[in-house]
């Protein structure tokens, strides 16, 4: 019906917005739609009111404005619907009835059957209130009372973050908290539950005098977090209660006292600070052990009563291409952080580093300094003293933006400077390996490479290559470097220069075959690299080229050494082929096979070396072993890859690596098998057969089993085992696992041989932990992580 009193319309607008605001807890205004009736203001202007209803009545004598039948309000992003809205001008009260629903600008939804409020926002009552926030938190109450603009109290309320069952909405959620009073505070942004009962699967399992949680607008809130627990053989049962304190918008701190039944009270603290360019985290922990004798005798764990650590980690971005940071930890003894499983610092080797990184479209710059904390039970810290202190290592790669004589010119630079406090060497039968020498070592290497590919009409691809490298080295090795074991070579202990020039040519002839439902590319490849002998081989330390495996992945590399301390010299040819097949049904096949030939000069892989890096590699003879690899990718989630090295004369298998992976909606897993013949000169006196397996089985949408094992078949030894189960849904994650870690080397054995790990997380409430179950959360893929993850 028509309305002629525009003044009354304004007063009605005020009243209706007042009611909508009360429903929204902290809203300051509200609004409405309808299909027939009156429109006030411009619908496209969010600051104006849009009001529609089937019927709108103004009783001037009774001073009442009544909107009935599909009442809808829309104002400043708020939307509300109701069956009836009445405003009494004389009493200043607003009454709304019938299927009230309010949607806030942020997306929260508020439902009620009836509301009765004053027009000054001061007081009000709501019956059958239900709130659904944007993060799927739900709060409901039999009735609600607004005490002020910021405080709303619900009577006999329920709080949960679980979604209702689609098939049975009346069924109780997995967990919920029922309370006599639920207090929503708009100033502190908290929800306080008083005289609360925690229910799991519809059964009360705990009573809490009160519990306070942040509302959905808060990402961080000071207060106690859920407890953490652990069970280990030498620490006993441990329980810790973290306290989280917000210091500012950019800083917070967590303090965690943890009591271990066998060792006493451990205090931990973590301070986090966010800056405009990055973040900084500082951690500290300490304990005075009650029973150090529980640990194995004559270990760092049993020899120290008071133990502590402090660590600092920073990550900063200068601009989109450049970043710098650090990660450093010091502790009173060499095994404290590992024994107590301190977050981020419990690995066998803790790498302390300072770095500066630059990354462009093609160019890169990487500057690092390292110090390695070896966490083992050796009180004398022998292994740590054998580690290199790197100060620093620099890698720089630059590609000239414009072609040079039609080809690509690149520059590579590496600078390494390090100190080792103690010789790292051991003997294995007649062979001695010197992983590191006591003293100082510095090397600067720079290499330029030019190459260009010519394509002929026949399809032949020829790529000539020219490379030149120069090294400047400074050695100052202690006389103790060879005090224990003799070296049959000589060390050039002074300033030195060395260089290498390479002329190479690569020929490729890719051939395409097409079948009815597939296409195949076979590419024969031939390479030759002509260069002088490697100078001063075995006379300089080998720090970064110790790891070496000859296989199909590096068959066509110009320099097959893994680092800069060694340079491949002599004339060498590589012959082989690549194959790539694709099928219409989604299958794909890839393969590489070939052999390498030493043609002239000195074979670098047969020359003297401190770590015998080329020994038993398959390249130490003029004609190398055969290498091959193949991989199959199937659209059903299955992949298979294998790599082989066959003896050049007998075709016996010297090395193989095979991996099978499968993933679908229910099952995912990977199994790999590595077989390597004995390499006595390289440091392995027995054949190795290693099986690694990991997998996950989904029993249904929520439950899953997972496990992993690393097993040495020949030594009958398991270095790692883990098994557990996982439950996950939109509001709860629960996992329990058992793990143990072994090591043939008793020095590196963990102080705690086994551990039970468990974690129960309730979204928005917090989580309870037993042990260190952080890695188990990797198996949860529902889009949220526990608060303390």
């Amino acid at each position: 019906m028509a309305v002629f009193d525009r003044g009354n319309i304004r007063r009605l607008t005020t009243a209706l917005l007042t009611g909508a605001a009360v429903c929204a807890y902290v809203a300051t205004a509200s609004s409405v739609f309808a299909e027939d009736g009156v429109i006030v203001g411009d619908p496209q202007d969010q600051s104006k009111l849009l009001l529609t209803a089937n019927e709108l009545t103004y009783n001037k004598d009774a001073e009442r404005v009544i909107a009935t039948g599909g009442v809808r309000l829309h104002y400043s992003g708020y939307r509300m619907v109701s069956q009836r809205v009445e405003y009494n001008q004389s009493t200043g009260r607003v009454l709304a009835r019938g299927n009230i629903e309010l949607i806030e600008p942020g997306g929260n939804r508020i439902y009620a059957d009836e509301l009765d409020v004053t027009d000054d926002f001061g007081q009000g009552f709501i019956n059958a209130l239900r709130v659904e926030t944007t993060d799927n938190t739900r709060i409901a109450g039999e009735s609600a009372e607004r005490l002020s603009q910021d405080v709303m109290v619900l009577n006999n309320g329920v709080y949960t973050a679980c979604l209702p069952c689609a098939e049975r909405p009346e069924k109780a959620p997995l967990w919920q908290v029922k309370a006599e009073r639920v207090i929503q505070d708009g100033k502190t942004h908290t929800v306080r539950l008083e005289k609360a009962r925690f229910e799991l699967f519809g059964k009360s399992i705990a009573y809490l005098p009160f519990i306070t949680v942040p509302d959905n607008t808060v990402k961080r809130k000071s207060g106690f977090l859920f407890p953490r627990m652990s069970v280990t053989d030498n620490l006993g049962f441990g329980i810790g209660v973290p306290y989280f304190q917000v210091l500012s918008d950019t800083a917070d701190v967590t303090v965690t006292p943890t009591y271990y039944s066998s060792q006493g009270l451990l205090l931990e603290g973590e301070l986090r600070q966010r800056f405009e360019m990055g973040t900084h985290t500082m951690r500290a922990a300490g304990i005075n052990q009650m029973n150090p004798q529980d640990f194995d005798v004559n270990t760092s764990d049993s020899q120290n009563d008071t133990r502590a650590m402090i660590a600092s980690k920073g990550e900063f971005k200068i601009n989109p291409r450049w970043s710098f940071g650090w990660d450093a930890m010091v502790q009173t003894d060499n095994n404290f952080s590992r024994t107590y499983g301190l977050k981020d610092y419990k690995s066998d080797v803790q790498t302390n580093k300072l770095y500066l990184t630059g990354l462009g479209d093609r160019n890169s710059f990487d500057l690092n300094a390292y110090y390695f904390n070896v966490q083992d039970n050796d009180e004398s810290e022998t292994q740590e003293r054998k580690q290199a202190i790197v100060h620093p290592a620099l890698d720089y790669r630059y590609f000239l933006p414009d072609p040079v004589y039609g080809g690509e010119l690149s520059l590579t630079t590496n600078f390494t400077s390090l100190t080792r406090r103690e010789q790292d060497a051991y003997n294995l039968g007649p062979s001695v390996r010197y992983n590191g020498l006591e003293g100082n070592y510095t090397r600067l290497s720079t290499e330029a490479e030019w190459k260009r590919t010519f394509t002929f009409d026949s399809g032949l691809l020829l790529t000539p290559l020219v490379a030149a490298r120069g090294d400047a080295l400074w050695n100052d090795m202690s006389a103790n470097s060879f005090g224990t074991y003799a070296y049959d070579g000589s060390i050039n202990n002074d300033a030195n220069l060395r260089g290498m020039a390479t002329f190479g040519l690569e020929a490729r002839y890719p051939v395409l075959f097409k079948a009815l439902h597939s296409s195949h590319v076979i590419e024969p490849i031939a390479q030759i690299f002509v260069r002088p002998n490697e100078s001063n081989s075995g006379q300089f330390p080998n720090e970064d080229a110790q790891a070496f495996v000859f296989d199909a992945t590096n068959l066509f590399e110009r320099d097959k050494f893994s680092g800069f301390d060694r340079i491949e010299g002599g004339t060498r040819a590589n012959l082989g082929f690549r194959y790539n097949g694709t099928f219409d049904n989604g299958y794909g096949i890839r393969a590489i096979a070939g052999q390498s030939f030493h043609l002239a000069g000195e074979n670098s892989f047969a020359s003297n070396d401190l770590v015998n890096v080329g020994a038993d590699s398959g390249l130490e003879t003029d004609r190398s072993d055969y290498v091959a690899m193949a991989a199959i990718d199937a659209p059903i989630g299955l992949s298979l890859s294998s790599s082989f090295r066959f003896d050049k004369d007998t075709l016996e298998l010297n090395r193989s690596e095979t991996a099978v992976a499968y993933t679908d909606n229910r099952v995912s897993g990977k199994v790999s098998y590595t077989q390597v013949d004995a390499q006595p000169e390289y440091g392995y006196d027995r054949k190795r057969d290693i099986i690694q397996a990991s997998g996950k089985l989904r029993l249904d949408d929520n439950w899953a089993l997972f496990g992993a094992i690393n097993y040495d078949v020949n030594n009958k030894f398991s270095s790692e085992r883990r098994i557990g189960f996982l439950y996950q849904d939109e509001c709860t994650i629960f996992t329990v696992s058992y793990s143990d870690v072994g090591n043939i080397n008793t020095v590196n054995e963990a102080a705690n041989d086994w551990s039970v790990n468990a974690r129960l997380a309730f979204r928005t409430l917090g989580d309870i932990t037993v042990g260190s179950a952080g890695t188990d959360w990797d198996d949860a893929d529902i889009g949220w992580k526990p608060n303390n993850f």
Side-chain angles (χ1 to χ4, degrees):
M1 62 179 292
V3 176
F4 302 99
D5 190 335
R6 298 299 179 186
N8 289 333
I9 290 295
R10 298 189 192 97
R11 287 190 290 274
L12 175 62
T13 299
T14 303
L16 294 178
L17 295 180
T18 300
V22 173
C23 290
Y25 290 20
V26 296
T28 58
S30 265
S31 40
V32 183
F33 288 93
E35 297 179 359
D36 302 310
V38 179
I39 296 179
V40 180
D42 183 359
Q44 302 301 320
D45 188 349
Q46 293 294 307
S47 65
K48 304 294 185 179
L49 169 71
L50 172 63
L51 166 63
T52 63
N54 292 340
E55 184 177 351
L56 186 60
T57 305
Y58 173 58
N59 189 327
K60 185 175 182 180
D61 296 332
E63 296 185 306
R64 289 188 178 183
V65 181
I66 302 173
T68 58
V71 182
R72 298 191 181 188
L73 293 170
H74 189 284
Y75 180 79
S76 294
Y78 289 89
R79 292 175 289 166
M80 190 182 81
V81 297
S82 179
Q83 292 300 312
R84 177 185 174 92
V85 176
E86 179 180 334
Y87 174 54
N88 190 322
Q89 291 178 300
S90 61
T91 62
R93 300 195 71 84
V94 177
L95 181 64
R97 290 191 179 93
N99 298 324
I100 302 170
E101 178 181 355
L102 174 73
I103 302 177
E104 298 179 307
N108 294 340
R109 293 176 179 267
I110 297 92
Y111 303 89
D113 290 340
E114 181 179 346
L115 67 84
D116 183 358
V117 297
T118 59
D119 60 5
D120 62 355
F121 307 145
Q123 296 178 342
F125 300 93
I126 305 175
N127 289 328
L129 177 69
R130 181 164 53 93
V131 181
E132 297 178 2
T133 66
T134 53
D135 66 346
N136 286 328
T137 300
R138 285 163 166 74
I139 307 173
E142 292 181 358
S143 62
E145 180 180 0
R146 188 176 185 83
L147 302 181
S148 68
Q149 291 184 353
D150 298 311
V151 179
M152 171 73 76
V153 178
L154 285 77
N155 300 310
N156 295 324
V158 178
Y159 175 92
T160 185
C162 300
L163 296 175
C165 178
E167 298 178 355
R168 296 175 54 191
E170 74 283 357
K171 181 182 178 181
L174 178 64
W175 64 264
Q176 62 184 1
V177 181
K178 290 184 176 180
E180 290 189 10
R181 280 164 48 97
V182 180
I183 303 173
Q184 166 85 22
D185 194 320
K187 282 188 175 179
T188 61
H189 299 285
T190 58
V191 178
R192 180 182 173 92
L193 308 167
E194 297 182 346
K195 297 183 179 180
R197 300 188 316 276
F198 184 84
E199 293 187 356
L200 192 63
F201 297 107
K203 304 295 183 181
S204 296
I205 63 171
Y207 172 80
L208 302 170
F210 70 90
I211 180 174
T212 302
V213 297
D215 65 21
N216 68 299
T217 65
V218 177
K219 302 302 180 184
R220 304 182 306 152
K221 185 66 179 177
S222 299
F224 287 99
L225 305 179
F226 272 50
R228 304 174 182 174
M229 289 171 281
S230 63
V231 180
T232 51
D233 53 349
N234 286 323
L235 303 181
F237 174 75
I239 180 168
V241 181
Y243 181 81
F244 179 77
Q245 178 65 48
V246 177
L247 303 179
S248 68
D249 291 340
T250 60
D252 53 56
V253 63
T254 302
V255 178
T256 308
T258 302
Y259 183 80
Y260 292 98
S261 59
S262 296
Q263 301 301 334
L265 182 64
L266 172 74
L267 288 177
E268 295 180 74
E270 183 178 29
L271 174 64
R272 295 167 292 271
Q273 175 74 55
R274 186 177 69 252
F275 301 90
E276 183 177 352
M277 294 171 55
T279 61
H280 174 244
T281 302
M282 178 169 286
R283 293 179 56 84
I287 189 174
N288 187 18
Q289 297 185 144
M290 294 190 307
N291 300 299
Q293 68 276 5
D294 288 353
F295 299 100
D296 293 340
V297 296
N298 299 322
T299 63
S300 55
D301 298 293
S302 63
Q303 296 295 318
N304 294 276
D305 295 337
T306 301
R307 312 178 73 180
M309 65 82 72
I310 186 169
S312 173
K313 182 177 182 179
E315 297 175 312
F316 296 89
K317 274 193 169 294
I318 302 173
N319 55 43
R321 293 191 174 187
W322 287 90
S323 62
F324 74 95
W326 65 88
D327 189 359
M329 182 266 285
V330 293
Q331 54 187 354
T332 54
D333 63 88
N334 61 318
N335 210 31
F336 169 56
S337 299
R338 180 189 180 202
T339 297
Y340 284 87
L342 301 183
K343 180 182 176 183
D344 298 330
Y345 296 96
K346 58 187 178 183
S347 60
D348 294 352
V349 178
Q350 170 59 35
T351 302
N352 299 278
K353 63 180 180 179
L354 174 66
Y355 66 88
L356 172 64
T357 300
L359 184 62
D361 294 336
R362 301 186 67 192
N363 307 323
S364 63
F365 177 94
D366 198 12
L367 179 65
N368 294 273
Y370 297 103
Y371 181 88
F372 301 97
N373 281 111
V374 178
Q375 301 198 80
D376 57 23
N377 57 28
D378 181 11
E379 176 67 10
S380 62
E381 301 183 2
T382 302
Q383 291 300 318
E384 184 168 316
R385 293 183 60 83
K386 292 180 179 180
Q387 302 303 307
I389 303 172
V390 183
H391 46 70
L394 180 149
D395 287 284
Y396 179 59
R397 190 78 187 273
Y398 178 74
F399 292 85
L400 268 68
D402 300 319
V404 177
Y405 294 107
E408 178 186 79
L409 179 62
S410 63
L411 301 174
T412 302
T413 298
N414 174 268
F415 175 78
T416 299
S417 178
L418 58 86
T419 298
R420 184 174 276 101
R421 294 171 292 172
E422 190 172 316
Q423 175 204 47
D424 182 9
Y426 67 94
N427 70 323
L428 189 64
S431 299
V432 181
R433 283 174 56 89
Y434 301 88
N435 293 329
L437 303 179
E438 180 180 332
N440 303 310
Y441 172 58
T442 300
R443 175 186 42 76
L444 173 64
S445 302
T446 299
E447 181 179 69
E449 180 188 70
W450 176 90
K451 59 183 178 180
R452 180 181 178 182
T453 298
F454 295 89
T455 303
F456 295 88
D457 294 340
S458 62
L460 177 67
L461 304 175
L462 288 180
T463 303
L465 176 148
V466 179
R469 170 175 162 177
D471 298 273
L473 306 98
W474 297 267
N475 299 328
D476 183 14
M477 297 304 165
S478 167
N480 296 326
S481 292
F482 302 104
T484 305
Y485 306 104
Y487 179 49
D488 56 5
S490 61
I491 289 295
N492 201 330
N493 202 21
D494 202 349
N496 292 275
L497 297 174
R498 71 178 178 186
M500 177 64 67
T502 302
F503 299 90
L505 179 65
E506 178 185 78
R508 293 182 289 132
Y509 192 78
V511 180
L512 173 64
F513 297 92
K514 278 189 171 292
L516 181 61
H517 299 291
S518 62
S519 61
H520 310 265
V521 177
I522 298 178
E523 185 179 31
I525 301 174
Q527 295 176 326
I528 186 169
F529 298 107
V530 180
R531 54 205 164 194
N533 295 333
E534 179 185 7
S535 61
N536 300 314
S537 174
Q539 298 183 27
F540 301 115
N542 182 355
E543 296 285 349
D544 67 356
Q546 296 185 5
F548 182 72
V549 174
F550 174 51
D551 57 21
T553 62
N554 58 16
L555 170 64
F556 299 112
E557 293 291 331
R558 172 170 58 87
D559 189 334
K560 296 177 175 59
F561 284 115
S562 58
F564 290 88
D565 285 335
R566 291 295 307 272
I567 308 175
E568 184 177 343
T571 299
R572 179 172 292 276
N574 304 312
L575 297 177
F577 72 91
R578 290 193 185 102
Y579 165 77
N580 197 324
T582 59
F583 298 81
D584 293 348
N585 58 8
Y587 282 80
I589 302 176
R590 309 180 309 277
I592 302 175
Q595 191 176 23
S596 184
F597 301 87
H598 176 252
L599 302 180
E602 181 182 348
N603 188 343
S604 292
F605 300 99
S607 63
N608 203 10
D609 184 86
L610 285 163
V611 295
N612 301 322
V613 67
D616 303 312
S617 66
L619 283 169
E620 70 275 16
T621 55
D622 288 344
R623 184 166 61 93
S624 79
D625 286 349
Y626 296 99
V627 292
M629 66 84 60
I632 300 175
D633 298 312
I636 59 174
L638 177 68
S639 64
L640 170 66
S641 63
S642 293
S643 177
F644 305 97
R645 178 164 65 87
F646 300 97
D647 186 271
K648 65 183 184 304
D649 298 318
T650 65
L651 294 182
E652 291 183 0
L653 188 63
N654 289 329
R655 182 185 182 94
S656 70
E657 295 179 60
T658 300
V660 180
Y662 178 76
T663 302
D664 66 10
N665 293 332
R666 291 297 180 188
V667 180
S668 63
K670 181 178 182 180
V671 179
S672 65
Y673 171 69
T674 302
Q675 178 268 313
V676 184
D677 273 356
Q679 298 172 281
E681 292 186 63
Y682 192 56
Y684 297 100
D685 60 350
R686 67 186 71 182
K687 183 179 178 180
R688 287 163 290 158
D689 292 86
I690 307 296
I691 296 176
Q692 294 178 292
S694 62
K696 177 182 176 182
L697 171 63
R698 283 188 177 273
L699 303 178
D700 56 27
D701 290 341
N702 302 114
W703 291 93
L705 300 175
F706 59 86
I709 188 170
N710 190 332
Y711 186 70
D712 186 331
V713 176
N714 294 324
N715 295 304
K716 311 298 182 185
F717 175 73
S718 234
S719 61
E720 178 186 6
R721 290 179 293 184
R722 185 168 68 103
I723 188 171
F725 66 86
L726 168 72
Y727 174 86
Q728 58 182 27
D729 62 22
E730 81 285 345
C731 64
T732 309
I733 304 179
F734 175 52
T735 182
V736 176
S737 66
Y738 170 87
S739 63
D740 61 16
V741 178
N743 198 301
I744 295 179
N745 185 350
T746 57
V747 172
N748 291 329
E749 286 184 351
N752 301 291
D753 297 329
W754 56 266
S755 64
V756 175
N757 308 304
R759 203 165 186 177
L760 176 61
F762 305 108
R763 189 172 64 85
T764 72
L765 289 184
D767 59 290
I768 303 172
T769 63
V770 177
S772 177
T775 55
D776 296 340
W777 295 124
D778 294 338
D779 296 296
D781 52 6
I782 57 175
W784 67 275
K785 296 293 184 182
N787 295 342
N788 302 328
F789 180 74

